[in-house]
Each structure stands twice: as structure tokens, then as C-alpha cells.
């Protein structure tokens, strides 16, 4: 038996990893099928996995991968590790984080992304507590607010005249394993663990089509965000040692100084550091600018530029502070930030007011939509306008979800063309506009519009998947249409899109129908192991609710 492994992979270590993994954000990067199967006899399964690793028989698996679009129209690779690999990966991160907690949190005054939760330092002793808090990271919304508040404070300082903003090109995809493992070695991680982690990262690297040996950490698991932060600790030390006013949120870097020369020196320092580690700055997002007289205009709205952030706080006219996030949060940590200082009739009144304000705003902004006078060119270039629309869409959806729980949502049909337009033009946020459309329920006009949009996004599998998810949740199809969808599914190249088709068919076909038998056979014969091994379990029982849950519908 490897003498190092029990410190990382005992049943207790794996149990802690399990508790952390199931609470991490992002249902779209979790093997929920595997989680449900594993949870049936959790202790026994964790013991078996521990024995497999300790006996030297564990081998990482090639994960399911898909492409998710970005604002730039390029795509990021998202990774769904198998349940066993996800537990092993988290167990390694847990042990390193617990052992080196004090060292890894020294920079928390200026590093805000993926900050370790204070309870992490307790390690597996946390399992013995009556009410343990298993979260690996502190909740991201207060951290991002802290980041932006720090930035805004610097902007208010009139002695500061220049700002540097930059980030790293393809950060997760470009991290070299050799340099990451060397950094972990400096933190005292044992050679046996580094060898195992190196093997895992190689198998998990690259895209669906190919492995990129020696480079890339999987984007999705919490452990990857941890390793990415560890990788940049040397940069944090280098910049802070030089006395720069420096803030970092993952790979988003901001520096503020009195002179342009100082920022140029800092930029060269960062650039040289990254080049020595096979990374590079994103030149399109790298700027050194003078801070003008109108400093208020330069301030960041809280969470206004948070990538993927859905938590927004609003000030009610009744002087009540209301914090509203999505009504169905992924975990208990997020629920702590759903604070309603009003309830009952007052809350319903507030939600109706929110909806009325959003509708008025949207209908004014899109008054000319569908006419020759609508300025499509200016519309697509205005990044600030993009963020405003996405924020309005969130407010409308959230208020309507509260009303849906309490009485009846207020759904204005005039907004449907706007949601469809935004889905088409803000395709990197397609899931959000599909969620808004979901609230309308089964509608032939929505179904036809989504099907008409599908060919436009043939190169963006994630966008097509989001539209199919809407159809699976909210639309209805007759027997002839289901047969046509089945045929489209069998010809589809993207496994993610095939899953979308499978979702529709599994939800709407009865086991008594002949096409259902064809569907089960198609899943068994699917060339993508992830679909074959996971989806077929539920196809056999017709348990479409689990499929719905896995994709966050």
C-alpha cells in the first residue's frame, strides 16, 4: 500500500470530498446521474472507492466535455468528471487546502475569487461536528462585491491617476501541468500525490475530440478553481512585494497607481511572469488608462460585470433592503443570501411593481423591434446595454417566480419577441432567456420560434441544448413531431445536443409507445459513453424527473 494515500483517500477523506462536491456550484458540470447512483449506498461506495485507490487500482476516466460560448463568440470547454474522479479530485484539493490553509489565505485582503471557507482548515475533523459547514469556498457574491468595493475605493482616491486592467488568455486551458505540479511541490505536496494528479490531469485535459497532454485543468470542478488560485500565488507575492495597489478576482487583475510609468512596469512584470509559465495576457482586455475627472462614471456597479453572477441586490422604495437571487438556488449557502425583509402582501406588491417597471423599460427600449427603424448595429455593439437587458431579464424572472409560488405570475405576451430576440443576440446567456420563456408554459409560437432558431446556432451546441431544454420543459409535441425529433437526434453529431433531444423524447413518450423502445435502443447504442452509461439508467425506468434535475431545469 502506498503510505501517502491513506492521508488523502481514507473513507473519511472521501466522505468530506463527497460533501464538498455535492454542495459546489454548477449542476451543468456535475455527474448527477452518478451522484444519485452513488448515494443509494454511500458509505459502502466510498469504502470501495477508498480500497480501490489504496490498493493502487484506481484509474481516472476520460470525462464528458462540451463547449459553452463566450461573449467574444469563442467557446470554453466545460468538463463533467465521473463521480469517482470528482471525489478523488476534491479529496486532493481538500487535503492541500487544510494543510496549507494559513499560507493560502494570507492574500485574502486583495485576492477575492474562490476564497477558501474558514471551516476548510479543520479537515476531516469537520465530520465530527454536530452542524458542519462543508462548503469549500466562501460565497462568491459578497466576495465579488468586496472586490468591486476595493476597486471603487481606489477610483475615489484622487492621488491615483491611472489604472491597469488585464486578464489571462484561456487561463484554465493553458495552465501547464509541470509548472502547476512544481508550485504544489513548493507547498509540500507529496510526490506520490503529484504523480497521481498529473496522470488525472492528462486524462481530463483537452476537448471532446482530443487530449492535450501536459496542459489544461478541467473547467467546472471546484478543485480546479482552487488549483488555479494556487498557481497564481507566486504572481500575488511578486506584485504585492513591489508595493503595487493590486487586486485579483481569479485571473481578472486590477492595479492602480499615481503614474503611467509605474503601471507599465507592473504590466511588464506580469507579462514576463506569465510567459515564463507558458501563459499570456489577453491583449484585447489589457488597458492602461488615465482616470479622468468623472470618477463616478468609472465605478463598477456592484455585480454589474460579474461573469455568470445572478445575485443582485435592489433597494425597494419602501426603504426595505431586499436581496433577491434565483428562487431555486443550487445549495444552502446561496439560500443564506436570499433575505426578504418584506413578506406576504407587501412582497407580492413589490414583485408586481418590479415586473411593471421592467416591462415598461423593456418595451421602451425595444419599441422599434421588428421595424426598419430598429438599429441592430448599435444594439449589438453596446456592451453596457447588453448588461442592462440581462439584469432586467433576471429581475422579471425572479419576481415572477415569487408570484408563481404565491399566487399567479404576470406574463406579458408582448415580451415574448424580446426574449426570443435576446436569446438570438445574447446567445452566451441563452439559458437565462430560455428560463424566462419557460414561465409561459406550452406555446406553439414559442416552440416554432425556437425550432426556427436551431439551425442558426449549428456551431454552438450549448445554445441548441438550451433551446431543446426549454422544449423539453415547456413545449408539447404530437406523435409525428416526436418521430421527426427522434430522426434528427440520430443524425446529430453533438452528444450535448443529442441529450437535449433525448430529454424531450423521454419526457413526452410513454413506455407503451413503439418509439419509446426505439429511443431506449438509441441510447444504448449511442457512441458517447457518458450518455450510454448514465442516461440509459433512467430511460429504463422512465425517470425523466432526474434528467430534468441534472440539467438544472
Amino acid at each position: 500500500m502506498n503510505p501517502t494515500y491513506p492521508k488523502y483517500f481514507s473513507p473519511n477523506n472521501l466522505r468530506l470530498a463527497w460533501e464538498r462536491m455535492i454542495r459546489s456550484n454548477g449542476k451543468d458540470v456535475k455527474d448527477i446521474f452518478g451522484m444519485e447512483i452513488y448515494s443509494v449506498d454511500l458509505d459502502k461506495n466510498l469504502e470501495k472507492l477508498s480500497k480501490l485507490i489504496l490498493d493502487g487500482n484506481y484509474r481516472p476516466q476520460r470525462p464528458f466535455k462540451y463547449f459553452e460560448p463566450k461573449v467574444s463568440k469563442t467557446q470554453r470547454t466545460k468538463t463533467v468528471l465521473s463521480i469517482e474522479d470528482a471525489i478523488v479530485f476534491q479529496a486532493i484539493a481538500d487535503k492541500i487546502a487544510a494543510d496549507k490553509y494559513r499560507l493560502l489565505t494570507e492574500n485574502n485582503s486583495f485576492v477575492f475569487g474562490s476564497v477558501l471557507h474558514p471551516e476548510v482548515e479543520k479537515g476531516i475533523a469537520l465530520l465530527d461536528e454536530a452542524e458542519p459547514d462543508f462548503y469549500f469556498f466562501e460565497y462568491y457574491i459578497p466576495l465579488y462585491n468586496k472586490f468591486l468595493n476595493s476597486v471603487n475605493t481606489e477610483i475615489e482616491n484622487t492621488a491615483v491617476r491611472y489604472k491597469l486592467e488585464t486578464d489571462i488568455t484561456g487561463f484554465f486551458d493553458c495552465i501547464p501541468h509541470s509548472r502547476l505540479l512544481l508550485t504544489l511541490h513548493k507547498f509540500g505536496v507529496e510526490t506520490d500525490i503529484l504523480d497521481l494528479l498529473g496522470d488525472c490531469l492528462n486524462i481530463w485535459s483537452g476537448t471532446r475530440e482530443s487530449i492535450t497532454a501536459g496542459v489544461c485543468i478541467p473547467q467546472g470542478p471546484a478543485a480546479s478553481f482552487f488549483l488555479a488560485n494556487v498557481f497564481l500565488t507566486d504572481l500575488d507575492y511578486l506584485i504585492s512585494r513591489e508595493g503595487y495597489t493590486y487586486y485579483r478576482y481569479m485571473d481578472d487583475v486590477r492595479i492602480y497607481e499615481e503614474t503611467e510609468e509605474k503601471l507599465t512596469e507592473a504590466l511588464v512584470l506580469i507579462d514576463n511572469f506569465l510567459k515564463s509559465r507558458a501563459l499570456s495576457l489577453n491583449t484585447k482586455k489589457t488597458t492602461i488608462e488615465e482616470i479622468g475627472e468623472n470618477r463616478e462614471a468609472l465605478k463598477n456597479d456592484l455585480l454589474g460585470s460579474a461573469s455568470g453572477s445572478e445575485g443582485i441586490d435592489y433597494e425597494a422604495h419602501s426603504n426595505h433592503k431586499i436581496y433577491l437571487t434565483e428562487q431555486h438556488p443550487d445549495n444552502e449557502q446561496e439560500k443564506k443570501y436570499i433575505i426578504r425583509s418584506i413578506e406576504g402582501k407587501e412582497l407580492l406588491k413589490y414583485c408586481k411593481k418590479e415586473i411593471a417597471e421592467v416591462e415598461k423599460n423593456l418595451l421602451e427600449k425595444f419599441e422599434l423591434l421588428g421595424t426598419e427603424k430598429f438599429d441592430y448595429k448599435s444594439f449589438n455593439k453596446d456592451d453596457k446595454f447588453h448588461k442592462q437587458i440581462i439584469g432586467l431579464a433576471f429581475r422579471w424572472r425572479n419576481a415572477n417566480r415569487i408570484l408563481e409560488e404565491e399566487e399567479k405570475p404576470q406574463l406579458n405576451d408582448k415580451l415574448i419577441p424580446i426574449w426570443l430576440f435576446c436569446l438570438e443576440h445574447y446567445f452566451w446567456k441563452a439559458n437565462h432567456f430560455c428560463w424566462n420563456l419557460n414561465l409561459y408554459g406550452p406555446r406553439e409560437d414559442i416552440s416554432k420560434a425556437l425550432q426556427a432558431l436551431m439551425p442558426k446556432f449549428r456551431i454552438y451546441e450549448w445554445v441548441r441544448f438550451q433551446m431543446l431544454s426549454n422544449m423539453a420543459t415547456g413545449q408539447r409535441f404530437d406523435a409525428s413531431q416526436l418521430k421527426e425529433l427522434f430522426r434528427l437526434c440520430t443524425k446529430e453529431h453533438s452528444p450535448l445536443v443529442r441529450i437535449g433531444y433525448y430529454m424531450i423524447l423521454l419526457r413526452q413518450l410513454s413506455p407503451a409507445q413503439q418509439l419509446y423502445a426505439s429511443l431506449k435502443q438509441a441510447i444504448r447504442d449511442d457512441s458517447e459513453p457518458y450518455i450510454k452509461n448514465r442516461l440509459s439508467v433512467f430511460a429504463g425506468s422512465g425517470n425523466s424527473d432526474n434528467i430534468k434535475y441534472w440539467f438544472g431545469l
Side-chain angles (χ1 to χ4, degrees), residues 6 24 48 62 134 167 243 278 304 344 376 388 413 431-432 506 516-517:
S24 62
K48 287 171 62 177
R62 185 72 179 144
F134 287 117
D167 68 14
Y376 289 88
Q388 288 176 353
D413 286 4
N431 54 337
H432 295 274
L506 283 167
Y516 188 85

Side-chain angles (χ1 to χ4, degrees), residues 484-504:
E484 178 59 25
L485 291 175
F486 175 77
R487 288 169 178 161
L488 288 172
C489 180
T490 59
K491 296 175 184 177
E492 176 58 49
H493 172 72
S494 163
L496 185 66
V497 176
R498 290 201 301 276
I499 290 174
Y501 282 120
Y502 289 143
M503 289 165 59
I504 295 173

Side-chain angles (χ1 to χ4, degrees), residues 139-150:
Y139 190 48
Y140 72 97
I141 288 180
L143 290 172
Y144 197 85
N145 277 339
K146 186 179 178 182
F147 170 62
L148 293 182
N149 281 331
S150 298

Side-chain angles (χ1 to χ4, degrees), residues 459-476:
I459 61 174
Y460 291 120
E461 61 177 355
W462 181 85
V463 178
R464 289 193 288 151
F465 169 74
Q466 297 303 327
M467 290 190 281
L468 289 169
S469 298
N470 170 275
M471 296 182 213
T473 303
Q475 308 308 323
R476 297 289 180 267

